[in-house]
Amino acid sequence: MLKKTIIIIAITIAITITVCVTAISYILLAPNTTNKETNLLIIQKNSDFKQVVDSIQKNDILKNQKTFIAAAKIMKYTGQVRCGKYIINKGENNREIIRRLRQGQHT
């Protein structure tokens, strides 16, 4: 009986870890841009993260803003907004976009 319980606990832990890794990989690495070849994101001086998300939504840059917000929280971007004009290319994932925004790599 004890052996069976240990096996069930081990399987449950393995499944939980697999689900978590899959979810985080999807949030960070799945392409998340719309079908436009390039998008221009303009971040004004003194903008906060909410304003960045609003601009992304207004300009229809991403397919899924919720995964972008989750990725930004995972990558600790929400408090590090830099102003500038950023080109977001078709097929980019949240990780690539957030890395560019955080580093201030604008056009």
Side-chain angles (χ1 to χ4, degrees):
M1 185 69 171
L2 180 63
K3 188 175 184 179
K4 190 174 184 179
T5 304
I6 292 172
I7 290 172
I8 291 172
I9 291 171
I11 290 171
T12 303
I13 291 170
I15 290 171
T16 302
I17 290 171
T18 302
V19 168
C20 289
V21 167
T22 302
I24 290 171
S25 296
Y26 173 75
I27 288 168
L28 293 176
L29 302 176
N32 193 24
T33 56
T34 57
N35 290 330
K36 296 184 243 174
E37 287 298 318
T38 59
N39 297 283
L40 182 63
L41 173 62
I42 299 172
I43 300 176
Q44 302 295 330
K45 189 174 182 177
N46 299 321
S47 292
D48 61 13
F49 180 69
K50 183 182 180 324
Q51 291 167 317
V52 172
V53 173
D54 290 345
S55 182
I56 286 170
Q57 189 170 19
K58 183 179 120 189
N59 293 305
D60 194 35
I61 293 173
L62 299 179
K63 291 189 259 185
N64 189 335
Q65 284 81 23
K66 290 180 182 179
T67 61
F68 177 79
I69 292 167
K73 289 178 182 177
I74 290 169
M75 296 178 68
K76 297 176 178 43
Y77 169 68
T78 56
Q80 303 177 9
V81 176
R82 294 187 183 195
C83 64
K85 294 179 182 179
Y86 297 88
I87 293 179
I88 310 297
N89 297 306
K90 181 179 177 180
E92 288 188 321
N93 60 45
N94 291 325
R95 183 173 159 253
E96 293 168 324
I97 296 166
I98 292 167
R99 186 177 283 168
R100 182 176 312 118
L101 297 177
R102 178 191 289 148
Q103 293 174 351
Q105 296 175 343
H106 50 86
T107 60

PDB file of all heavy atoms in Angstrom, residues 9-37:
ATOM      1  N   ILE A   9       2.051   9.560  -5.835  1.00  0.00           N
ATOM      2  CA  ILE A   9       2.590  10.893  -5.529  1.00  0.00           C
ATOM      3  C   ILE A   9       3.660  11.281  -6.540  1.00  0.00           C
ATOM      4  O   ILE A   9       3.677  12.412  -7.039  1.00  0.00           O
ATOM      5  CB  ILE A   9       3.134  10.946  -4.088  1.00  0.00           C
ATOM      6  CG1 ILE A   9       1.962  10.865  -3.092  1.00  0.00           C
ATOM      7  CG2 ILE A   9       3.943  12.216  -3.855  1.00  0.00           C
ATOM      8  CD1 ILE A   9       2.391  10.690  -1.651  1.00  0.00           C
ATOM      9  N   ALA A  10       4.550  10.352  -6.881  1.00  0.00           N
ATOM     10  CA  ALA A  10       5.619  10.630  -7.849  1.00  0.00           C
ATOM     11  C   ALA A  10       5.040  10.966  -9.228  1.00  0.00           C
ATOM     12  O   ALA A  10       5.491  11.904  -9.896  1.00  0.00           O
ATOM     13  CB  ALA A  10       6.568   9.445  -7.944  1.00  0.00           C
ATOM     14  N   ILE A  11       4.029  10.225  -9.642  1.00  0.00           N
ATOM     15  CA  ILE A  11       3.397  10.479 -10.944  1.00  0.00           C
ATOM     16  C   ILE A  11       2.701  11.844 -10.934  1.00  0.00           C
ATOM     17  O   ILE A  11       2.804  12.610 -11.897  1.00  0.00           O
ATOM     18  CB  ILE A  11       2.406   9.346 -11.303  1.00  0.00           C
ATOM     19  CG1 ILE A  11       3.185   8.059 -11.618  1.00  0.00           C
ATOM     20  CG2 ILE A  11       1.516   9.739 -12.476  1.00  0.00           C
ATOM     21  CD1 ILE A  11       2.326   6.828 -11.783  1.00  0.00           C
ATOM     22  N   THR A  12       2.018  12.157  -9.845  1.00  0.00           N
ATOM     23  CA  THR A  12       1.338  13.450  -9.728  1.00  0.00           C
ATOM     24  C   THR A  12       2.339  14.598  -9.804  1.00  0.00           C
ATOM     25  O   THR A  12       2.100  15.599 -10.496  1.00  0.00           O
ATOM     26  CB  THR A  12       0.540  13.520  -8.409  1.00  0.00           C
ATOM     27  OG1 THR A  12      -0.385  12.432  -8.364  1.00  0.00           O
ATOM     28  CG2 THR A  12      -0.204  14.827  -8.285  1.00  0.00           C
ATOM     29  N   ILE A  13       3.448  14.472  -9.122  1.00  0.00           N
ATOM     30  CA  ILE A  13       4.492  15.503  -9.162  1.00  0.00           C
ATOM     31  C   ILE A  13       5.059  15.641 -10.569  1.00  0.00           C
ATOM     32  O   ILE A  13       5.236  16.758 -11.067  1.00  0.00           O
ATOM     33  CB  ILE A  13       5.597  15.208  -8.124  1.00  0.00           C
ATOM     34  CG1 ILE A  13       5.046  15.405  -6.709  1.00  0.00           C
ATOM     35  CG2 ILE A  13       6.818  16.089  -8.353  1.00  0.00           C
ATOM     36  CD1 ILE A  13       5.970  14.915  -5.604  1.00  0.00           C
ATOM     37  N   ALA A  14       5.320  14.529 -11.229  1.00  0.00           N
ATOM     38  CA  ALA A  14       5.870  14.566 -12.590  1.00  0.00           C
ATOM     39  C   ALA A  14       4.901  15.242 -13.557  1.00  0.00           C
ATOM     40  O   ALA A  14       5.310  16.059 -14.391  1.00  0.00           O
ATOM     41  CB  ALA A  14       6.197  13.153 -13.058  1.00  0.00           C
ATOM     42  N   ILE A  15       3.621  14.928 -13.439  1.00  0.00           N
ATOM     43  CA  ILE A  15       2.619  15.543 -14.316  1.00  0.00           C
ATOM     44  C   ILE A  15       2.521  17.045 -14.042  1.00  0.00           C
ATOM     45  O   ILE A  15       2.465  17.845 -14.979  1.00  0.00           O
ATOM     46  CB  ILE A  15       1.246  14.860 -14.140  1.00  0.00           C
ATOM     47  CG1 ILE A  15       1.302  13.439 -14.725  1.00  0.00           C
ATOM     48  CG2 ILE A  15       0.133  15.669 -14.800  1.00  0.00           C
ATOM     49  CD1 ILE A  15       0.092  12.589 -14.428  1.00  0.00           C
ATOM     50  N   THR A  16       2.530  17.427 -12.781  1.00  0.00           N
ATOM     51  CA  THR A  16       2.460  18.844 -12.416  1.00  0.00           C
ATOM     52  C   THR A  16       3.646  19.611 -12.978  1.00  0.00           C
ATOM     53  O   THR A  16       3.482  20.702 -13.545  1.00  0.00           O
ATOM     54  CB  THR A  16       2.395  19.002 -10.885  1.00  0.00           C
ATOM     55  OG1 THR A  16       1.258  18.282 -10.395  1.00  0.00           O
ATOM     56  CG2 THR A  16       2.293  20.459 -10.485  1.00  0.00           C
ATOM     57  N   ILE A  17       4.841  19.067 -12.844  1.00  0.00           N
ATOM     58  CA  ILE A  17       6.042  19.720 -13.381  1.00  0.00           C
ATOM     59  C   ILE A  17       5.951  19.841 -14.897  1.00  0.00           C
ATOM     60  O   ILE A  17       6.256  20.898 -15.465  1.00  0.00           O
ATOM     61  CB  ILE A  17       7.311  18.956 -12.947  1.00  0.00           C
ATOM     62  CG1 ILE A  17       7.530  19.137 -11.442  1.00  0.00           C
ATOM     63  CG2 ILE A  17       8.526  19.414 -13.742  1.00  0.00           C
ATOM     64  CD1 ILE A  17       8.623  18.253 -10.867  1.00  0.00           C
ATOM     65  N   THR A  18       5.499  18.801 -15.571  1.00  0.00           N
ATOM     66  CA  THR A  18       5.370  18.825 -17.027  1.00  0.00           C
ATOM     67  C   THR A  18       4.383  19.901 -17.481  1.00  0.00           C
ATOM     68  O   THR A  18       4.664  20.653 -18.423  1.00  0.00           O
ATOM     69  CB  THR A  18       4.918  17.446 -17.552  1.00  0.00           C
ATOM     70  OG1 THR A  18       5.874  16.465 -17.138  1.00  0.00           O
ATOM     71  CG2 THR A  18       4.792  17.439 -19.055  1.00  0.00           C
ATOM     72  N   VAL A  19       3.254  20.000 -16.802  1.00  0.00           N
ATOM     73  CA  VAL A  19       2.250  21.003 -17.148  1.00  0.00           C
ATOM     74  C   VAL A  19       2.805  22.412 -16.941  1.00  0.00           C
ATOM     75  O   VAL A  19       2.630  23.288 -17.793  1.00  0.00           O
ATOM     76  CB  VAL A  19       0.949  20.789 -16.338  1.00  0.00           C
ATOM     77  CG1 VAL A  19       0.012  21.973 -16.467  1.00  0.00           C
ATOM     78  CG2 VAL A  19       0.259  19.511 -16.778  1.00  0.00           C
ATOM     79  N   CYS A  20       3.502  22.622 -15.834  1.00  0.00           N
ATOM     80  CA  CYS A  20       4.076  23.949 -15.554  1.00  0.00           C
ATOM     81  C   CYS A  20       5.118  24.344 -16.593  1.00  0.00           C
ATOM     82  O   CYS A  20       5.116  25.476 -17.083  1.00  0.00           O
ATOM     83  CB  CYS A  20       4.680  23.977 -14.154  1.00  0.00           C
ATOM     84  SG  CYS A  20       3.451  23.950 -12.841  1.00  0.00           S
ATOM     85  N   VAL A  21       6.006  23.440 -16.928  1.00  0.00           N
ATOM     86  CA  VAL A  21       7.053  23.728 -17.921  1.00  0.00           C
ATOM     87  C   VAL A  21       6.422  24.007 -19.283  1.00  0.00           C
ATOM     88  O   VAL A  21       6.823  24.942 -19.983  1.00  0.00           O
ATOM     89  CB  VAL A  21       8.062  22.558 -17.999  1.00  0.00           C
ATOM     90  CG1 VAL A  21       8.956  22.673 -19.216  1.00  0.00           C
ATOM     91  CG2 VAL A  21       8.890  22.485 -16.729  1.00  0.00           C
ATOM     92  N   THR A  22       5.404  23.236 -19.645  1.00  0.00           N
ATOM     93  CA  THR A  22       4.728  23.450 -20.924  1.00  0.00           C
ATOM     94  C   THR A  22       4.046  24.816 -20.958  1.00  0.00           C
ATOM     95  O   THR A  22       4.146  25.543 -21.953  1.00  0.00           O
ATOM     96  CB  THR A  22       3.691  22.333 -21.178  1.00  0.00           C
ATOM     97  OG1 THR A  22       4.372  21.077 -21.159  1.00  0.00           O
ATOM     98  CG2 THR A  22       2.992  22.510 -22.504  1.00  0.00           C
ATOM     99  N   ALA A  23       3.374  25.176 -19.877  1.00  0.00           N
ATOM    100  CA  ALA A  23       2.678  26.474 -19.821  1.00  0.00           C
ATOM    101  C   ALA A  23       3.668  27.634 -19.917  1.00  0.00           C
ATOM    102  O   ALA A  23       3.443  28.586 -20.672  1.00  0.00           O
ATOM    103  CB  ALA A  23       1.866  26.571 -18.542  1.00  0.00           C
ATOM    104  N   ILE A  24       4.757  27.566 -19.175  1.00  0.00           N
ATOM    105  CA  ILE A  24       5.751  28.641 -19.208  1.00  0.00           C
ATOM    106  C   ILE A  24       6.400  28.725 -20.590  1.00  0.00           C
ATOM    107  O   ILE A  24       6.614  29.816 -21.113  1.00  0.00           O
ATOM    108  CB  ILE A  24       6.791  28.455 -18.091  1.00  0.00           C
ATOM    109  CG1 ILE A  24       6.127  28.727 -16.733  1.00  0.00           C
ATOM    110  CG2 ILE A  24       7.993  29.373 -18.293  1.00  0.00           C
ATOM    111  CD1 ILE A  24       6.978  28.383 -15.535  1.00  0.00           C
ATOM    112  N   SER A  25       6.675  27.578 -21.202  1.00  0.00           N
ATOM    113  CA  SER A  25       7.249  27.584 -22.551  1.00  0.00           C
ATOM    114  C   SER A  25       6.299  28.229 -23.548  1.00  0.00           C
ATOM    115  O   SER A  25       6.717  29.005 -24.400  1.00  0.00           O
ATOM    116  CB  SER A  25       7.565  26.153 -22.999  1.00  0.00           C
ATOM    117  OG  SER A  25       8.555  25.606 -22.183  1.00  0.00           O
ATOM    118  N   TYR A  26       5.016  27.920 -23.431  1.00  0.00           N
ATOM    119  CA  TYR A  26       4.028  28.524 -24.326  1.00  0.00           C
ATOM    120  C   TYR A  26       3.967  30.036 -24.119  1.00  0.00           C
ATOM    121  O   TYR A  26       3.972  30.812 -25.079  1.00  0.00           O
ATOM    122  CB  TYR A  26       2.647  27.904 -24.093  1.00  0.00           C
ATOM    123  CG  TYR A  26       1.550  28.604 -24.857  1.00  0.00           C
ATOM    124  CD1 TYR A  26       1.409  28.424 -26.230  1.00  0.00           C
ATOM    125  CD2 TYR A  26       0.685  29.483 -24.219  1.00  0.00           C
ATOM    126  CE1 TYR A  26       0.427  29.091 -26.941  1.00  0.00           C
ATOM    127  CE2 TYR A  26      -0.309  30.152 -24.924  1.00  0.00           C
ATOM    128  CZ  TYR A  26      -0.430  29.949 -26.273  1.00  0.00           C
ATOM    129  OH  TYR A  26      -1.399  30.619 -26.975  1.00  0.00           O
ATOM    130  N   ILE A  27       3.919  30.459 -22.871  1.00  0.00           N
ATOM    131  CA  ILE A  27       3.823  31.891 -22.555  1.00  0.00           C
ATOM    132  C   ILE A  27       5.024  32.658 -23.114  1.00  0.00           C
ATOM    133  O   ILE A  27       4.891  33.737 -23.668  1.00  0.00           O
ATOM    134  CB  ILE A  27       3.687  32.104 -21.039  1.00  0.00           C
ATOM    135  CG1 ILE A  27       2.294  31.672 -20.579  1.00  0.00           C
ATOM    136  CG2 ILE A  27       3.946  33.552 -20.641  1.00  0.00           C
ATOM    137  CD1 ILE A  27       2.143  31.578 -19.075  1.00  0.00           C
ATOM    138  N   LEU A  28       6.208  32.093 -22.971  1.00  0.00           N
ATOM    139  CA  LEU A  28       7.428  32.806 -23.376  1.00  0.00           C
ATOM    140  C   LEU A  28       7.796  32.607 -24.840  1.00  0.00           C
ATOM    141  O   LEU A  28       8.292  33.532 -25.486  1.00  0.00           O
ATOM    142  CB  LEU A  28       8.599  32.373 -22.497  1.00  0.00           C
ATOM    143  CG  LEU A  28       8.536  32.771 -21.030  1.00  0.00           C
ATOM    144  CD1 LEU A  28       9.716  32.179 -20.283  1.00  0.00           C
ATOM    145  CD2 LEU A  28       8.502  34.268 -20.866  1.00  0.00           C
ATOM    146  N   LEU A  29       7.581  31.398 -25.387  1.00  0.00           N
ATOM    147  CA  LEU A  29       8.205  31.053 -26.661  1.00  0.00           C
ATOM    148  C   LEU A  29       7.270  30.905 -27.859  1.00  0.00           C
ATOM    149  O   LEU A  29       7.742  30.841 -28.988  1.00  0.00           O
ATOM    150  CB  LEU A  29       9.010  29.756 -26.488  1.00  0.00           C
ATOM    151  CG  LEU A  29      10.096  29.810 -25.409  1.00  0.00           C
ATOM    152  CD1 LEU A  29      10.764  28.457 -25.259  1.00  0.00           C
ATOM    153  CD2 LEU A  29      11.114  30.883 -25.712  1.00  0.00           C
ATOM    154  N   ALA A  30       5.969  30.858 -27.638  1.00  0.00           N
ATOM    155  CA  ALA A  30       5.052  30.726 -28.779  1.00  0.00           C
ATOM    156  C   ALA A  30       4.961  32.058 -29.522  1.00  0.00           C
ATOM    157  O   ALA A  30       4.889  33.116 -28.895  1.00  0.00           O
ATOM    158  CB  ALA A  30       3.667  30.309 -28.292  1.00  0.00           C
ATOM    159  N   PRO A  31       4.975  32.036 -30.859  1.00  0.00           N
ATOM    160  CA  PRO A  31       4.810  33.279 -31.618  1.00  0.00           C
ATOM    161  C   PRO A  31       3.515  33.972 -31.187  1.00  0.00           C
ATOM    162  O   PRO A  31       2.490  33.321 -31.014  1.00  0.00           O
ATOM    163  CB  PRO A  31       4.724  32.808 -33.065  1.00  0.00           C
ATOM    164  CG  PRO A  31       5.420  31.486 -33.079  1.00  0.00           C
ATOM    165  CD  PRO A  31       5.142  30.872 -31.738  1.00  0.00           C
ATOM    166  N   ASN A  32       3.578  35.297 -31.018  1.00  0.00           N
ATOM    167  CA  ASN A  32       2.418  36.002 -30.478  1.00  0.00           C
ATOM    168  C   ASN A  32       2.079  37.269 -31.239  1.00  0.00           C
ATOM    169  O   ASN A  32       1.295  38.078 -30.761  1.00  0.00           O
ATOM    170  CB  ASN A  32       2.639  36.322 -28.988  1.00  0.00           C
ATOM    171  CG  ASN A  32       1.370  36.751 -28.303  1.00  0.00           C
ATOM    172  OD1 ASN A  32       0.283  36.426 -28.738  1.00  0.00           O
ATOM    173  ND2 ASN A  32       1.501  37.512 -27.235  1.00  0.00           N
ATOM    174  N   THR A  33       2.638  37.458 -32.410  1.00  0.00           N
ATOM    175  CA  THR A  33       2.316  38.674 -33.166  1.00  0.00           C
ATOM    176  C   THR A  33       1.173  38.410 -34.135  1.00  0.00           C
ATOM    177  O   THR A  33       0.910  37.269 -34.505  1.00  0.00           O
ATOM    178  CB  THR A  33       3.535  39.176 -33.952  1.00  0.00           C
ATOM    179  OG1 THR A  33       4.009  38.117 -34.789  1.00  0.00           O
ATOM    180  CG2 THR A  33       4.642  39.625 -33.027  1.00  0.00           C
ATOM    181  N   THR A  34       0.508  39.487 -34.542  1.00  0.00           N
ATOM    182  CA  THR A  34      -0.550  39.352 -35.546  1.00  0.00           C
ATOM    183  C   THR A  34       0.090  39.079 -36.899  1.00  0.00           C
ATOM    184  O   THR A  34       1.314  39.006 -37.017  1.00  0.00           O
ATOM    185  CB  THR A  34      -1.402  40.634 -35.599  1.00  0.00           C
ATOM    186  OG1 THR A  34      -0.558  41.739 -35.870  1.00  0.00           O
ATOM    187  CG2 THR A  34      -2.160  40.855 -34.309  1.00  0.00           C
ATOM    188  N   ASN A  35      -0.721  38.949 -37.921  1.00  0.00           N
ATOM    189  CA  ASN A  35      -0.222  38.573 -39.242  1.00  0.00           C
ATOM    190  C   ASN A  35       0.460  39.682 -40.014  1.00  0.00           C
ATOM    191  O   ASN A  35       0.945  39.459 -41.115  1.00  0.00           O
ATOM    192  CB  ASN A  35      -1.359  37.984 -40.074  1.00  0.00           C
ATOM    193  CG  ASN A  35      -1.778  36.631 -39.554  1.00  0.00           C
ATOM    194  OD1 ASN A  35      -0.981  35.898 -39.001  1.00  0.00           O
ATOM    195  ND2 ASN A  35      -3.046  36.305 -39.723  1.00  0.00           N
ATOM    196  N   LYS A  36       0.487  40.901 -39.469  1.00  0.00           N
ATOM    197  CA  LYS A  36       1.184  41.997 -40.154  1.00  0.00           C
ATOM    198  C   LYS A  36       2.685  41.703 -40.154  1.00  0.00           C
ATOM    199  O   LYS A  36       3.224  41.176 -39.190  1.00  0.00           O
ATOM    200  CB  LYS A  36       0.919  43.321 -39.446  1.00  0.00           C
ATOM    201  CG  LYS A  36      -0.525  43.763 -39.479  1.00  0.00           C
ATOM    202  CD  LYS A  36      -0.651  45.124 -38.835  1.00  0.00           C
ATOM    203  CE  LYS A  36      -1.508  45.027 -37.617  1.00  0.00           C
ATOM    204  NZ  LYS A  36      -1.576  46.249 -36.849  1.00  0.00           N
ATOM    205  N   GLU A  37       3.349  42.047 -41.250  1.00  0.00           N
ATOM    206  CA  GLU A  37       4.802  41.786 -41.350  1.00  0.00           C
ATOM    207  C   GLU A  37       5.573  42.523 -40.262  1.00  0.00           C
ATOM    208  O   GLU A  37       6.446  41.962 -39.629  1.00  0.00           O
ATOM    209  CB  GLU A  37       5.330  42.177 -42.733  1.00  0.00           C
ATOM    210  CG  GLU A  37       4.923  41.214 -43.825  1.00  0.00           C
ATOM    211  CD  GLU A  37       5.445  39.800 -43.619  1.00  0.00           C
ATOM    212  OE1 GLU A  37       6.610  39.628 -43.221  1.00  0.00           O
ATOM    213  OE2 GLU A  37       4.671  38.860 -43.850  1.00  0.00           O
TER     214      GLU A  37
END
